[in-house]
């Protein structure tokens, strides 16, 4: 009998502890309800997301231009090709004009360098020639006593006086009717 009691106690322990089973069943039921609740929320969220995506698709469809027929497409492609040709031709023209302007600019830069070189040479020439010419003019002024009349640029006019004499000779020559050689010889003849 002690054995029977032992078996009954074990059976009572195994089957008599309904409280653990009830708690486990309640936990399963609670988990089922929570899972169902989360699932329902997810289902609502997914439905809302599907509605939003559907609206976006509709808006995108409306934004897409209507498709054109193949004939219209070919005509449009031909027009675009024509425009592309015109633009390419204009680009080529601009490039050629740019090359010509660059060449012209290089020529002008060379001309500027040449003119600056000539200017420098002219400056050097003036520095050496002007003092020499002043000396020559001063020498002629002491040798030949001529007083020039500068009022009229169209004539060679003035007075010639001889050294050591009170003789004054006026002269008035037209360079258009007389050569420079004649005018020079005539003035030298007055000096004698």
């Amino acid at each position: 009998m002690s054995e029977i009691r032992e078996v009954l106690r074990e059976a009572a322990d195994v089957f008599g502890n309904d409280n653990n089973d009830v708690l486990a069943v309640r936990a399963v039921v609670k988990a089922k309800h929570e899972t169902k609740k989360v699932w329902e929320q997810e289902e609502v969220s997914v439905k809302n997301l599907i509605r939003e995506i559907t609206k976006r698709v509709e808006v995108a469809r409306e934004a897409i231009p209507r498709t054109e027929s193949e004939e219209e497409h070919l005509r449009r492609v031909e027009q675009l090709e024509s425009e592309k040709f015109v633009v390419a031709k204009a680009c080529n023209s601009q490039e050629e004009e740019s090359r010509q302007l660059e060449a012209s600019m290089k020529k002008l830069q060379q001309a500027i360098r040449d003119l600056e070189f000539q200017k420098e040479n002219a400056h050097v020439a003036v520095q050496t020639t002007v003092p020499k010419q002043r000396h020559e003019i001063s020498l002629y002024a002491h040798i030949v006593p001529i007083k020039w009349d500068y009022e009229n640029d169209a004539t060679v006019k003035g007075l010639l006086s001889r050294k050591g004499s009170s003789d004054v000779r006026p002269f008035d020559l037209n360079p258009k009717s007389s050569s420079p050689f004649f005018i020079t010889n005539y003035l030298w003849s007055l000096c004698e």
Side-chain angles (χ1 to χ4, degrees):
M1 198 103 141
S2 85
E3 246 179 61
I4 294 176
R5 276 191 196 159
E6 189 70 32
V7 171
L8 283 176
R9 237 186 265 159
E10 283 181 23
D13 284 342
V14 170
F15 295 112
N17 199 353
D18 287 338
N19 199 16
N20 285 341
D21 290 339
V22 171
L23 291 176
V25 170
R26 284 183 185 163
V28 169
V29 169
K30 184 177 179 184
K32 179 183 170 192
H33 286 300
E34 288 176 2
T35 305
K36 185 177 180 183
K37 195 180 206 180
V38 169
W39 183 78
E40 287 172 351
Q41 289 174 347
E42 286 295 320
E43 188 177 10
V44 169
S45 176
V46 169
K47 284 180 181 179
N48 289 336
L49 185 62
I50 290 171
R51 281 189 201 113
E52 185 180 328
I53 291 173
T54 304
K55 285 180 185 176
R56 286 184 185 177
V57 168
E58 288 302 318
V59 169
R61 279 189 185 154
E62 290 175 8
I64 295 174
R66 297 184 187 252
T67 58
E68 51 193 22
S69 70
E70 190 171 333
E71 184 179 306
E72 289 172 336
H73 176 72
L74 290 175
R75 195 176 19 210
R76 189 163 168 243
V77 167
E78 186 177 317
Q79 178 186 4
L80 290 174
E81 286 292 330
S82 174
E83 289 175 11
K84 183 175 98 173
F85 176 76
V86 168
V87 169
K89 191 173 180 182
C91 284
N92 288 341
S93 174
Q94 290 292 327
E95 287 175 358
E96 180 61 30
E97 185 177 340
S98 175
R99 281 192 291 273
Q100 289 175 354
L101 287 174
E102 286 176 6
S104 176
M105 190 170 84
K106 285 180 182 177
K107 287 179 183 177
L108 288 174
Q109 287 172 342
Q110 183 60 42
I112 288 171
R113 286 192 293 273
D114 292 346
L115 287 173
E116 287 175 348
F117 180 74
Q118 289 175 1
K119 177 183 169 186
E120 184 64 31
N121 285 344
H123 181 69
V124 169
V126 166
Q127 294 290 335
T128 58
T129 306
V130 169
K132 183 179 174 185
Q133 287 177 345
R134 279 188 187 154
H135 177 70
E136 288 176 0
I137 289 172
S138 174
L139 185 63
Y140 283 125
H142 286 352
I143 295 173
V144 181
I146 295 178
K147 183 176 180 189
W148 298 101
D149 183 357
Y150 297 108
E151 289 182 20
N152 189 354
D153 289 341
T155 62
V156 178
K157 186 175 180 182
L159 299 171
L160 179 90
S161 62
R162 291 181 161 187
K163 283 190 177 183
S165 166
S166 61
D167 187 22
V168 176
R169 296 183 183 178
F171 60 91
D172 187 359
L173 303 168
N174 186 348
K176 292 181 181 176
S177 61
S178 303
S179 71
F181 182 75
F182 173 79
I183 293 172
T184 304
N185 284 339
Y186 178 75
L187 291 175
W188 278 114
S189 69
L190 288 177
C191 291
E192 296 175 346

